[in-house]
Amino acid sequence: MRAATVDDAVAGALLAALAPDQLALALAAAGEVTARRARSIRAAELAVERARYQAERAERAFSACEPENRLVARSLEARWEARLVDLAAPRPP
């Protein structure tokens, strides 16, 4: 038996069992899930962009520090490394 035949039979049975208002609700729910997923993906992209910006900013601050200021340089380097760790952290899709 071909999978397309089974798919057609299942789809036909599902559509026969659903009333038009139930189908509209199911489509609205699917649209909401899709929109929520898109918002979640955009939020993750913005978080990565923000982490990248902060890492680059920390790198610029470290690079601008005079080598004679070892204490300042150490704290700037630690902040830069922390931002790089934030950037490398996995984000949920």
Side-chain angles (χ1 to χ4, degrees), residues 51-71:
R52 185 175 294 125
Y53 171 77
Q54 290 176 346
E56 290 170 357
R57 187 172 175 214
E59 179 184 13
R60 284 192 306 271
F62 175 74
S63 296
C65 180
E66 294 294 327
E68 297 84 33
N69 296 330
R70 290 189 182 120
L71 185 60

